[in-house]
């Protein structure tokens, strides 16, 4: 019997109503519920549960526990694997798994649900069934990679590369990514060009950022992650004097859509004050999204001239997890 490995981490898909009527973890009930919903008896399922958490409670320590469990798995023994995970931090763990599990010998799916499984509105059973179908197709062609299959509230299921998944918007339960494709289109046309383009795009993004350690990573070589990467987003009123760099190994600073930040002067509201402190303490400061030598505004120039390192093409989530992983 061909087998799929289910890796349970918690989240809504592994939850049920408690006596107060609130969603609470009930991971042991998730697998029977999903497997009984899937009618292909030619496929078996093995199960492990390395961590058990609601995804909003995810931490670096829990990621480390998950990584250590994944290192012990011989993925080539399986036709595929699924990591069951909550939606709140799905975009971040998906990025991590997209970087670590892209070449493990079988396709890996990140699996979530926006409602508990026994809720008739839940997209969990549909996400599960479609993930199995995609695993079967990818496995038949000897392809691996890490993907997310997720049905949005409009009833359309999309396939995303895990490292490209974007966070749900405010007041939304939908997931998007820049190169997502409708599941039905992918499966009916079996659009291998989309899969091939994904691989090319991944290679292009790695090559574009050659200054940093962006080669494909073998999970077995990854050490213990630490919470030493500081991620910042710009907003009107950000005061850099209030931001501590104690214990920080790298800074990742998002930019406005025009690849700009406030660089006026060296006061507390200018990112130049943060960059100066980073330089004094030997902390690399990465700015995203920004192409070195290809920007339109004069406010961007002093950042680069004073040592900020440009990154372009990846999601911030992928950049963040790569910064966590490198030099470990």
């Amino acid at each position: 019997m061909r087998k799929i490995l289910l890796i349970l981490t918690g989240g809504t898909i592994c939850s049920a109503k408690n006596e107060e009527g609130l969603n609470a973890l009930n991971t042991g009930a998730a697998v029977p519920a999903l497997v009984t919903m899937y009618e292909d008896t030619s496929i078996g399922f093995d199960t492990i549960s390395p961590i058990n958490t609601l995804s909003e409670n995810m931490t670096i320590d829990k990621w480390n526990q998950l990584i250590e469990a994944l290192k012990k798995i011989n993925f080539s023994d399986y036709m595929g694997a699924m990591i069951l995970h909550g939606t709140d931090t799905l975009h971040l763990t998906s990025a991590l798994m997209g970087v670590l599990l892209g070449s493990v010998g079988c396709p890996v799916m990140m699996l979530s649900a926006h409602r508990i499984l026994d809720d008739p509105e839940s997209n969990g059973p549909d996400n599960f069934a479609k993930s199995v179908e995609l695993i079967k197709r990818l496995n038949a062609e000897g392809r691996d990679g890490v993907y997310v299959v997720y049905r949005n509230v409009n009833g359309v299921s999309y396939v995303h590369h895990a490292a490209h998944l974007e966070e749900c918007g405010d007041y939304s339960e939908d997931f998007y990514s820049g190169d997502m494709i409708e599941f039905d289109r992918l499966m009916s046309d079996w659009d291998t060009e989309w899969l091939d383009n994904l691989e090319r795009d991944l290679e292009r993004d790695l090559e574009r950022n050659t200054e940093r350690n962006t080669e494909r990573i073998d999970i077995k070589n990854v050490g213990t992650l630490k919470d030493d990467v500081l991620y910042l987003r710009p907003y009107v009123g950000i005061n850099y004097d209030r931001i501590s760099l104690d214990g920080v190994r790298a800074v990742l600073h998002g930019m406005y859509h025009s690849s700009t930040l406030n660089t006026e002067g060296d006061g507390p509201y200018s990112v130049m004050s943060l960059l100066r402190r980073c330089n004094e303490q030997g902390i690399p400061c990465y700015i995203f999204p920004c192409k070195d030598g290809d920007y339109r505004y004069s406010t961007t120039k002093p950042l680069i001239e004073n040592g900020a390192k440009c990154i372009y093409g990846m999601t911030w989530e992928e950049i963040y997890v790569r910064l966590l992983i490198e030099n470990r």
Side-chain angles (χ1 to χ4, degrees):
M1 178 182 288
R2 298 179 299 170
K3 284 192 173 184
I4 292 174
L5 177 64
L6 302 182
I7 303 164
L8 282 64
T9 71
T12 298
I13 197 167
C14 294
S15 296
K17 295 288 186 187
N18 63 15
E19 61 246 9
E20 297 177 321
L22 300 175
N23 292 349
L25 285 172
N26 189 0
T27 302
V31 172
L34 286 169
V35 172
T36 55
M37 293 171 186
Y38 191 72
E39 299 178 350
D40 187 347
T41 57
S42 69
I43 296 176
F45 298 92
D46 287 343
T47 305
I48 62 171
S49 183
I51 59 174
N52 190 28
T53 184
L54 292 171
S55 70
E56 59 268 33
N57 296 332
M58 186 63 72
T59 63
I60 297 290
D61 286 343
K62 291 174 184 176
W63 269 357
N64 283 324
Q65 292 177 52
L66 177 59
I67 289 169
E68 287 306 307
L70 296 174
K71 288 179 181 179
K72 299 173 184 176
I73 297 169
N74 187 356
F75 284 92
S76 59
D77 288 344
Y78 295 93
M79 64 180 297
M82 295 188 199
I83 300 176
L84 280 64
H85 195 284
T87 56
D88 282 345
T89 55
L90 178 66
H91 59 301
L92 286 160
T93 304
S94 289
L96 182 65
M97 296 299 103
V99 170
L100 295 181
L101 303 180
S103 303
V104 293
C106 75
V108 178
M109 302 292 147
M110 301 297 299
L111 182 63
S112 285
H114 74 322
R115 299 283 189 277
I116 59 176
L117 290 174
D118 61 2
D119 187 320
E121 294 186 359
S122 177
N123 60 8
D126 192 48
N127 295 341
F128 176 75
K130 287 182 168 64
S131 293
V132 174
E133 293 305 306
L134 184 54
I135 283 175
K136 289 164 61 178
R137 186 69 71 90
L138 292 168
N139 179 264
E141 293 198 357
R143 292 178 180 264
D144 47 19
V146 190
Y147 301 94
V148 182
V149 179
Y150 191 88
R151 189 186 74 197
N152 284 347
V153 295
N154 64 359
V156 179
S157 297
Y158 296 96
V159 183
H160 312 262
H161 188 279
H164 297 173
L165 192 71
E166 300 171 6
E167 183 179 8
C168 280
D170 294 337
Y171 314 109
S172 172
E173 295 179 316
D174 292 342
F175 281 102
Y176 296 96
S177 59
D179 45 19
M180 67 187 188
I181 188 172
E182 289 187 17
F183 175 86
D184 289 343
R185 174 188 159 192
L186 175 64
M187 298 299 284
S188 61
D189 298 340
W190 191 232
D191 191 353
T192 56
E193 182 179 358
W194 179 78
L195 294 165
D196 294 338
N197 284 341
L198 274 183
E199 286 300 314
R200 283 195 292 270
D201 289 347
L202 290 168
E203 293 295 339
R204 178 205 63 199
D205 291 340
L206 295 178
E207 291 171 0
R208 180 183 282 147
N209 297 281
T210 52
E211 183 179 336
R212 293 173 40 255
N213 178 18
T214 51
E215 73 272 8
R216 292 189 181 275
I217 295 168
D218 184 343
I219 187 172
K220 296 187 185 303
N221 297 330
V222 174
T224 301
L225 306 184
K226 298 179 181 178
D227 59 348
D228 54 4
V229 176
L230 177 64
Y231 173 62
L232 300 172
R233 290 290 301 168
Y235 58 89
V236 175
I238 186 170
N239 186 327
Y240 291 101
D241 283 354
R242 297 194 176 112
I243 296 172
S244 172
L245 295 178
D246 290 347
V248 172
R249 180 174 53 84
V251 172
L252 173 60
H253 204 312
M255 307 181 80
Y256 294 119
H257 76 98
S258 299
S259 296
T260 57
L261 289 170
N262 180 354
T263 58
E264 186 176 43
D266 192 41
Y269 302 112
S270 169
V271 71
M272 300 305 295
S273 65
L274 176 72
L275 183 57
R276 172 180 48 78
R277 286 198 289 141
C278 286
N279 290 339
E280 289 172 353
Q281 298 181 45
I283 300 170
C285 181
Y286 299 92
I287 52 176
F288 163 85
C290 188
K291 288 183 180 179
D292 192 358
D294 186 16
Y295 51 87
R296 293 174 293 174
Y297 291 89
S298 59
T299 48
T300 308
K301 186 177 180 181
L303 283 166
I304 299 171
E305 289 181 339
N306 285 274
K309 302 177 184 299
C310 299
I311 301 182
Y312 187 84
M314 302 180 188
T315 62
W316 77 261
E317 291 92 342
E318 182 181 1
I319 300 166
Y320 172 70
V321 299
R322 285 187 176 278
L323 285 170
L324 286 177
I325 293 166
E326 68 180 15
N327 298 325
R328 294 296 176 211

